[in-house]
Amino acid sequence: MNRTAEVTRRTAETEITVRIDLDGTGRSELATGIGFFDHMLDQIARHGLIDLHIQAKGDLHIDGHHTVEDVGITLGQALAKAVGDKRGIRRYGHAYVPLDEALSRVVIDFSGRPGLVAHVPFTSGMIGSFDTQLMHEFFQGFVNHAFVTLHIDNLRGANAHHQAETVFKAFGRALRAALELDARAPGVVPSTKGSL
């Protein structure tokens, strides 16, 4: 099974290319122009064991909004393409990840229905040049195009960097669990409907 994809998305605001291998080793090549965002995307690759290449050119002279949101959209499109009809996957995944004082929980369902519930009360508006409001925009773009239901809860945290990092690490871990091929149900679509 070849669970790879490449998607390029061009708008008047951004040009994004994403290459993904769902059965990788956690390697990443990331260039979004936003250092902290690259650091967070690397957490998805490493903790999800997903090989991830993201090249993004955006209107950063305005701010990071369009770049971050469009990376989420393009990553969602690439993941949906790579996972295909979802035969044999576990479908659900969850993870709790701590980092010092911070703790986050992420739960994902490859349901075919986009939905995001996120509760992350950031203690700071900025982490480096990354506007913390954009984390929601990234995940909203992702769920809308990956067709997943995603629940994100930062349960505690005093340091905004730690809050964000626990979320992205937990997201990578939850993805890894949901995308794992189920040896007990090979080739089966994990739904009573017969399709997702």
Side-chain angles (χ1 to χ4, degrees), residues 2-125:
N2 182 16
R3 300 196 301 169
T4 64
E6 179 171 340
V7 174
T8 297
R9 183 174 191 271
R10 293 181 182 89
T11 72
E13 299 163 338
T14 63
E15 182 176 334
I16 317 281
T17 297
V18 172
R19 288 199 311 268
I20 191 169
D21 180 351
L22 301 183
D23 301 304
T25 59
R27 291 177 294 134
S28 66
E29 295 177 36
L30 307 163
T32 66
I34 305 169
F36 182 76
F37 187 39
D38 286 349
H39 180 44
M40 294 300 99
L41 294 168
D42 185 50
Q43 303 308 317
I44 297 171
R46 288 178 186 266
H47 291 276
L49 288 182
I50 293 167
D51 289 347
L52 189 57
H53 171 94
I54 299 176
Q55 192 77 31
K57 294 178 184 173
D59 52 5
L60 296 180
H61 62 285
I62 296 174
D63 67 9
H65 189 287
H66 300 139
T67 299
V68 172
E69 180 180 31
D70 287 5
V71 166
I73 289 169
T74 312
L75 178 60
Q77 291 171 335
L79 194 141
K81 186 176 177 182
V83 78
D85 65 6
K86 304 171 193 166
R87 289 184 183 279
I89 68 167
R90 293 191 181 274
R91 177 179 169 176
Y92 301 100
H94 72 277
Y96 286 81
V97 170
L99 175 57
D100 298 342
E101 87 299 343
L103 175 66
S104 291
R105 173 184 62 218
V106 174
V107 183
I108 192 167
D109 175 12
F110 276 79
S111 60
R113 297 180 304 279
L116 174 64
V117 178
H119 179 70
V120 184
F122 276 113
T123 58
S124 175

Side-chain angles (χ1 to χ4, degrees), residues 111-192:
S111 60
R113 297 180 304 279
L116 174 64
V117 178
H119 179 70
V120 184
F122 276 113
T123 58
S124 175
M126 296 294 289
I127 307 169
S129 62
F130 183 79
D131 181 345
T132 56
Q133 295 181 90
L134 298 183
M135 193 172 83
H136 187 277
E137 301 306 318
F138 168 78
F139 284 114
Q140 189 68 69
F142 174 81
V143 302
N144 286 346
H145 294 270
F147 303 103
V148 300
T149 302
L150 182 65
H151 287 252
I152 300 170
D153 290 285
N154 173 239
L155 303 173
R156 60 184 57 92
N159 179 292
H161 186 130
H162 294 171
Q163 289 176 286
E165 191 160 337
T166 57
V167 166
F168 277 87
K169 285 178 175 176
F171 176 64
R173 290 272 167 177
L175 271 179
R176 179 177 168 183
L179 291 169
E180 186 177 48
L181 295 173
D182 189 342
R184 293 182 63 194
V188 175
V189 176
S191 172
T192 56

